[in-house]
Structures are given as C-alpha cells and as structure tokens.
C-alpha cells in the first residue's frame, strides 16, 4: 500500500505540539515526585499527601510512553484517561478550570495525529 508522506511542516508542528506537553507534564511530575518545601502542605489541602508521589510517577510514565514511537498510542490513550480524571477533579472542585486538561488532551492528540501516518489512516479528517 502506497501512502503519501506527511508534509514536513505537519511533522514539525506535531512534534512542537507534543513538546508543549513537556511544559505541563514534566514540572507537574517533578513537584509531585521531588516534593519541594511547602508542596505537600499545599497539596494536602485538596488531596491526600500520599497520593502525590504515585501521581507524579504516573504523569512521568505517561509522558515517556507518549513520546516513544512503539508506545505512543498506549501513552496517548492512558494520557487521555488521566486527563479525564483531571477534568472530573476540576468539575468536582467547582473551580472552573476543567477546560485546561481538555485543551491539553486536544494538544496531545493533535500533535500525535500530525506526526503519525497510521493514526491519520485510522481517523481520516478529509477524503483523499
């Protein structure tokens, strides 16, 4: 089967969007894992203190799975599930920030879609 190569600008844009996730997931995971002074006190206002480390490890793992070509689909799906939990948390807290994890999820999948030919074939946005 002959497939059209993805234009370079779309590959670059896809990787840039995927890289933007690093600005979200890596600092978040770092704070949860390293737990700098004052972090646990603030974290404990809304969540159990013991939940920070496991959630940080999960965030880091999801991001790594998402970046590696062989595990990108698994990472993307698990990331979407994790972000769904973030949406639910924001809705439950009634803080009005539920749209942030939604936007992050859209960025994640758009980045993957732009740089991945198999995903484009599975979910065509335009008739070819």
């Amino acid at each position: 089967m002959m497939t059209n190569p993805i234009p370079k600008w779309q590959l670059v844009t896809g990787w840039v969007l995927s890289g933007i996730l690093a600005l979200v997931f890596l600092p978040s995971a770092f704070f949860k894992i390293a737990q700098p002074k004052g972090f646990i006190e603030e974290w404990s206002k809304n969540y159990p203190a013991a939940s920070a480390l496991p959630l940080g490890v999960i965030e880091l793992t999801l991001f790594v799975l998402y970046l590696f070509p062989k595990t990108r689909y698994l990472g993307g799906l698990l990331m979407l599930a994790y972000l769904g939990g973030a949406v639910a948390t924001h809705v439950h807290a009634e803080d009005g920030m539920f749209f942030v994890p939604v936007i992050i999820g859209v960025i994640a999948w758009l980045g993957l879609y732009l740089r991945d030919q198999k995903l484009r074939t599975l979910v065509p946005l335009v008739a070819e």
Side-chain angles (χ1 to χ4, degrees), residues 5-81:
I6 298 173
K8 185 174 181 176
W9 73 267
Q10 289 179 356
L11 281 173
V12 170
T13 303
W15 277 110
V16 167
L17 289 172
S18 296
I20 288 172
L21 295 178
L23 300 173
V24 176
F25 277 90
L26 295 180
S28 179
F30 170 78
F31 279 101
K32 290 176 182 119
I33 293 169
Q35 300 179 2
K37 184 177 179 169
F39 174 79
I40 288 297
E41 290 78 20
E42 193 64 31
W43 178 263
S44 298
K45 291 178 183 176
N46 298 308
Y47 307 100
S51 67
L53 181 60
L55 287 175
V57 171
I58 289 169
E59 286 178 356
L60 185 59
T61 302
L62 294 177
F63 184 68
V64 170
L65 286 172
Y66 174 82
L67 288 182
F68 281 99
K70 289 190 182 238
T71 58
R72 64 186 174 258
Y73 305 124
L74 176 62
L77 288 171
L78 292 174
M79 187 181 289
L80 196 60

